[in-house]
Amino acid sequence: MRTIIEPFRIKSVEPLRWTTREQREELLQAAGYNLFKIKAADILIDLLTDSGTSAMSTGQWAAMMRGDESYAGSESFYRFERVVQDLTGFRHVIPTHQGRAAERILFSILCKPGDIVPNNTHFDTTRANIEFNGAAAVDLPLPAAADTQARVPFKGNLDVEGLQRLIGKEGAGRIPLVMITVTNNSGGGQPVSMSNLESVRKITAEHGIPLYLDACRFAENAWFIKRDEPGYAHLSPREIARKMFSLADGCTFSAKKDAFANIGGFLCSNNDRLAEQETNLLILTEGFPTYGGLAGRDLEAIAVGLDEVLQPEYLEYRIASTAYLGRHIADQGVPIVEPPGGHAIYIDAARMLPHIPREQFPGQALAVELYRHAGVRSVEIGSVMFGEKARHELLRLAISRRVYTQSHIDYLVEAILEVNQRKQEIRGLEIVAEPQFLRHFTAEFRPIR
């Protein structure tokens, strides 16, 4: 059959609340035109993030009922640990309450002022945790990634030649680790090839630099490798994922993405001394090593989710559904980051709204207009989020896993195309209040007349 259907059926539903355009305008004004400040109850379709917003399965809900909430030595932890070790091959598995906690622990130990951490593209919390420890976060995307319209396979790859130049210029001693984000979230949700991972691994091994994966969307990346990289079509997503992890010295992971969980994460390593330091910091700030800031029931949900996410039927549907959204708006003239990624579609707001200069935040302006018009919440990935380090002015439409149906996606397509038809009417914004870190969470704006 040509039609790819959702490989699940709906067992419980949650009603959505409709608002009028006038109501949404009032809500925008009250929130300082920052969609993070609008209550979820006032959102029709929420594409702010795919983090922690998945629908859990019957298997996950059932597993939660056996959650062992013992403070030390929880059976839930040991089940969780076995699943993670079997998948990743790493000896040490440290649970955390979410991915940014794993980042904070890792960078607090490895990074010091003057250090440099290369990545294909750092996400906001990753960059913030590195910079909070006095190190510099350096993005090394492929040169082809500069053109959002270029249909290049594995556009999320790290620039290998750029990494070699950086090591030659700065010296390996200033680089405590190299990180690769799979898939490349800030780079448009683009996948990373196995050959790229192997090339980076070869360089880091030559210089004695640890290689880490930001593995939040490892399963989606594995599917792209299976589908598009020669030599992998015959392998299962699990086999591909295992090979990906085998090329790294450790990983950070947010279970709120490719484990379908509403909370949780972990930090992995094969380095005994480093793992001991990480565990000590975990105890100080997160919790005992066999729960790490999580309830036993959450550990159970993650363990089940890590198995479910590698089902080929699910991954085929997931990637096809995202591509459906991307192609239906791109083919009607909406510029997206090409080709469509895995967990989200990224609209090139600067290209769509050339009359709005960068300093007036075209991505944020587009996010505001999409909510005003259709009740859809999205997120800016550009100068609001990354400041002067932003490479593009993007609007991300992150699709929650197993949550929205085909009709929701069709409604979204219709809404975006209608906004695109009158894009000349959209005006820029200026910031009137902002925090020191992660300003996209709490900054306030006002329209420029």
Side-chain angles (χ1 to χ4, degrees):
M1 302 294 290
R2 289 179 299 173
T3 301
I4 298 175
I5 66 171
E6 292 87 346
F8 52 83
R9 58 186 180 187
I10 297 169
K11 196 167 186 177
S12 180
V13 297
E14 178 182 2
L16 297 174
R17 176 173 178 258
W18 293 84
T19 55
T20 66
R21 183 182 178 91
E22 291 73 21
Q23 289 172 326
R24 293 193 290 272
E25 182 60 49
E26 292 178 0
L27 291 165
L28 283 168
Q29 293 178 17
Y33 295 90
N34 187 332
L35 300 179
F36 279 93
K37 294 187 174 186
I38 294 179
K39 293 180 179 179
D42 295 319
I43 305 296
L44 183 63
I45 296 179
D46 201 344
L47 307 180
L48 183 75
T49 181
D50 63 321
S51 178
T53 58
S54 299
M56 292 204 301
S57 69
T58 54
Q60 287 180 292
W61 284 110
M64 289 178 72
M65 294 303 295
R66 69 178 182 184
D68 178 3
E69 307 305 337
S70 300
Y71 185 90
S74 164
E75 281 301 309
S76 295
F77 168 76
Y78 294 114
R79 280 189 285 268
F80 159 84
E81 182 185 50
R82 284 193 296 271
V83 170
V84 176
Q85 287 177 333
D86 179 70
L87 171 63
T88 68
F90 295 123
R91 291 197 307 274
H92 301 287
V93 179
I94 299 172
T96 60
H97 80 273
Q98 62 184 72
R100 70 189 61 182
E103 293 173 347
R104 185 192 58 79
I105 291 172
L106 177 66
F107 299 137
S108 294
I109 293 171
L110 289 184
C111 295
K112 63 183 185 300
D115 283 347
I116 298 170
V117 180
N119 197 322
N120 46 353
T121 313
H122 292 86
F123 197 58
D124 59 344
T125 58
T126 318
R127 177 179 296 278
N129 273 299
I130 291 170
E131 294 177 348
F132 186 76
N133 286 283
V138 176
D139 293 337
L140 295 175
L142 283 184
D147 181 2
T148 61
Q149 305 305 291
R151 298 190 183 186
V152 178
F154 298 104
K155 205 172 173 180
N157 284 353
L158 186 143
D159 181 1
V160 174
E161 294 181 359
L163 178 62
Q164 290 175 318
R165 288 194 299 270
L166 181 68
I167 295 173
K169 177 182 178 182
E170 303 294 345
R174 291 189 62 193
I175 302 176
L177 76 158
V178 172
M179 201 165 213
I180 299 182
T181 305
V182 292
T183 55
N184 189 336
N185 188 6
S186 296
Q190 299 294 310
V192 176
S193 69
M194 192 73 77
S195 62
N196 186 249
L197 290 172
E198 291 172 333
S199 296
V200 175
R201 176 62 179 179
K202 182 179 179 181
I203 293 171
T204 57
E206 288 175 354
H207 293 278
I209 302 172
L211 173 62
Y212 273 72
L213 297 182
D214 178 344
C216 294
R217 299 173 181 88
F218 76 95
E220 293 174 4
N221 200 90
W223 183 259
F224 278 112
I225 291 174
K226 177 179 176 63
R227 192 189 72 179
D228 298 333
E229 189 166 0
Y232 291 94
H234 68 289
L235 297 180
S236 69
R238 180 178 295 276
E239 290 170 326
I240 294 170
R242 282 174 171 161
K243 183 170 182 179
M244 289 166 54
F245 284 114
S246 74
L247 295 170
D249 296 291
C251 74
T252 60
F253 183 74
S254 170
K256 299 168 68 176
K257 283 84 169 177
D258 268 359
F260 302 113
N262 301 135
I263 197 68
F266 54 79
L267 172 61
C268 289
S269 173
N270 282 327
N271 185 312
D272 296 342
R273 182 174 176 274
L274 178 61
E276 182 179 0
Q277 292 177 287
E278 292 168 343
T279 300
N280 290 337
L281 188 53
L282 176 89
I283 295 171
L284 181 64
T285 61
E286 291 280 311
F288 196 73
T290 54
Y291 77 90
L294 291 171
R297 63 182 73 92
D298 298 319
L299 293 169
E300 298 280 3
I302 295 168
V304 174
L306 285 172
D307 281 332
E308 292 181 349
V309 77
L310 289 165
Q311 294 171 355
E313 298 83 5
Y314 162 75
L315 287 169
E316 181 183 28
Y317 147 76
R318 170 69 169 169
I319 303 305
S321 177
T322 304
Y324 175 94
L325 168 60
R327 288 271 56 86
H328 274 69
I329 61 174
D331 292 346
Q332 295 297 318
V334 177
I336 68 169
V337 175
E338 295 279 9
H343 71 288
I345 292 299
Y346 296 68
I347 297 176
D348 187 337
R351 187 180 291 267
M352 180 176 170
L353 307 173
H355 60 286
I356 300 180
R358 177 175 180 174
E359 61 270 19
Q360 294 181 14
F361 311 114
Q364 187 71 18
L366 183 56
V368 167
E369 185 58 32
L370 186 57
Y371 175 73
R372 179 188 286 122
H373 180 68
V376 174
R377 179 158 63 175
S378 52
V379 68
E380 188 262 14
I381 307 284
S383 293
V384 175
M385 182 175 286
F386 294 112
E388 61 183 15
K389 297 181 178 68
R391 293 175 177 269
H392 301 289
E393 304 298 327
L394 306 177
L395 179 74
R396 187 185 72 177
L397 307 163
I399 305 172
S400 299
R401 295 162 183 81
R402 303 190 298 203
V403 171
Y404 294 115
T405 66
Q406 186 64 51
S407 63
H408 290 111
I409 300 301
D410 287 335
Y411 173 89
L412 180 60
V413 169
E414 183 179 349
I416 294 170
L417 294 181
E418 288 180 357
V419 169
N420 188 53
Q421 288 175 356
R422 51 183 186 78
K423 58 188 177 183
Q424 292 298 329
E425 301 174 12
I426 301 175
R427 294 293 174 259
L429 302 166
E430 62 181 344
I431 291 181
V432 295
E434 64 177 303
Q436 181 180 1
F437 284 103
L438 302 173
R439 65 180 179 180
H440 56 291
F441 287 156
T442 57
E444 294 186 3
F445 306 82
R446 66 184 172 201
I448 294 176
R449 302 299 180 187

